[in-house]
Amino acid sequence: MDLDLPAWSEPFTSERRDALAHLIPFASIDRQWAWGGADGTGVTVAIIDSGIERDHPAVGGMLRRSMAVDLSGEYAEVVEDPEPIDVVGHGTACAGIIHSLAPAAEFMSVRVLGPDNRGKGAAFAAGLEWAIDQGAGVVNLSLSSKSEAMLPVFHELADEAYFHNVLLVSAANNVPGPSYPSLFASVVSVASHDQADPWTYYYNPSPPVEFGAYGLDVDVAWKDGSRIIATGNSFAAPHMAGLATLIRSKHPQVTPFELKAILAATSNGALRESPPAAKRSRRS
């Protein structure tokens, strides 16, 4: 395995991609049907991260709301961010990737990370709960929690999102070990592959991490109007979020589980040949 790839990326390395080939039951579904002609119109994407720099060219002026989580002890309150900023650049990078794929989608930013790109689990959970309550079509989570104490909280929020028709797209942690909510079954979990193509993505039929997207040496937007080259599952997740946004734009009626199935059916490596028909036994 290429040691430059983040954790959970092993299934998507070149020497293992043959194992990702899988038969799909949706012979009539292809990318043209899934998102052909769509641009993200009608979909609001929430980005739970370090904020979004409103005036960054990569965001295209599509930031509509900017919030921040105010922590007082263990009490978390989501409040209006008086000046839409990104204290790191990480959230703007995610927004820029999504905007490049779905330029008409609108953004809600929920800042839960500090200048060190770290945050409290309580802030993360409060920001996610707010985004779900606001009815975001897609929520990009290029962050995760390794806290076992927060596991039941994130599990409950993942269920709440699922039953309220909100799709969660979450990066797996960049270091080995379980992370939440990425590894919950209702969430679109994403790790990195090393192909420099935003439209190439894989479905892994042997979870926990189900999708692999472009996340190695990605040219991304960063703070103060800049750009950098970055690597991580954090930058693979918004590629999948952007594609999910296109699908929701073209097919607004699809549910989260249907959307995940469409992504799997249109992934690279999906095989459309039907398996041989089972032989019927003759009665004597």
Side-chain angles (χ1 to χ4, degrees), residues 109-121:
S109 170
V110 187
R111 180 161 53 86
V112 301
L113 301 178
D116 58 354
N117 212 31
R118 299 174 67 87
K120 297 285 189 180

Side-chain angles (χ1 to χ4, degrees), residues 1-279:
M1 176 186 171
D2 186 341
L3 295 179
D4 291 327
L5 279 171
W8 300 102
S9 298
E10 292 92 339
F12 311 109
T13 56
S14 57
E15 65 272 17
R16 299 194 183 186
R17 283 181 196 138
D18 286 347
L20 302 179
H22 61 288
L23 289 171
I24 58 170
F26 311 112
S28 62
I29 292 181
D30 58 18
R31 294 187 176 192
Q32 179 60 33
W33 177 90
W35 66 71
D39 61 3
T41 297
V43 182
T44 297
V45 181
I47 296 182
I48 317 297
D49 213 288
S50 60
I52 297 177
E53 190 173 292
R54 178 181 57 195
D55 298 328
H56 198 293
V59 179
M62 300 307 289
L63 180 62
R64 297 293 178 258
R65 295 193 71 181
S66 188
M67 313 298 291
V69 176
D70 181 29
L71 271 180
S72 299
E74 288 303 308
Y75 179 72
E77 182 182 8
V78 181
V79 298
E80 294 281 349
D81 209 352
E83 185 175 344
I85 59 171
D86 186 340
V87 295
V88 177
H90 194 265
T92 302
C94 297
I97 291 170
I98 295 169
H99 181 69
S100 70
L101 297 170
E106 299 183 335
F107 293 118
M108 296 190 300
S109 170
V110 187
R111 180 161 53 86
V112 301
L113 301 178
D116 58 354
N117 212 31
R118 299 174 67 87
K120 297 285 189 180
F124 180 11
L128 177 55
E129 183 176 22
W130 182 89
I132 295 168
D133 289 343
Q134 295 300 307
V138 176
V139 179
N140 187 82
L141 303 170
S142 286
L143 71 171
S144 59
S145 173
K146 297 186 71 175
S147 169
E148 294 296 324
M150 294 298 297
L151 187 157
V153 176
F154 284 115
H155 195 287
E156 183 176 339
L157 288 172
D159 282 351
E160 185 178 338
Y162 183 82
F163 292 119
H164 285 81
N165 205 29
V166 177
L167 182 76
L168 304 186
V169 180
S170 180
N173 213 341
N174 284 323
V175 295
S179 60
Y180 313 107
S182 70
L183 300 186
F184 296 138
S186 62
V187 176
V188 175
S189 55
V190 191
S192 301
H193 68 57
D194 58 355
Q195 294 176 275
D197 179 8
W199 302 97
T200 294
Y201 65 97
Y202 297 94
Y203 170 71
N204 176 22
S206 300
V209 177
E210 292 180 293
F211 291 92
Y214 179 28
L216 181 68
D217 294 335
V218 186
D219 180 5
V220 298
W222 210 248
K223 68 179 301 185
D224 299 327
S226 67
R227 301 190 70 88
I228 65 169
I229 303 298
T231 289
N233 296 337
S234 286
F235 311 110
H239 281 98
M240 294 306 301
L243 295 173
T245 299
L246 292 178
I247 295 169
R248 289 217 115 160
S249 177
K250 187 169 183 179
H251 306 284
Q253 76 280 6
V254 297
T255 63
F257 90 87
E258 292 169 328
L259 214 163
K260 185 186 278 195
I262 293 169
L263 287 170
T266 53
S267 64
N268 296 77
L271 304 177
R272 299 185 181 280
E273 294 82 3
S274 298
K279 293 182 179 180

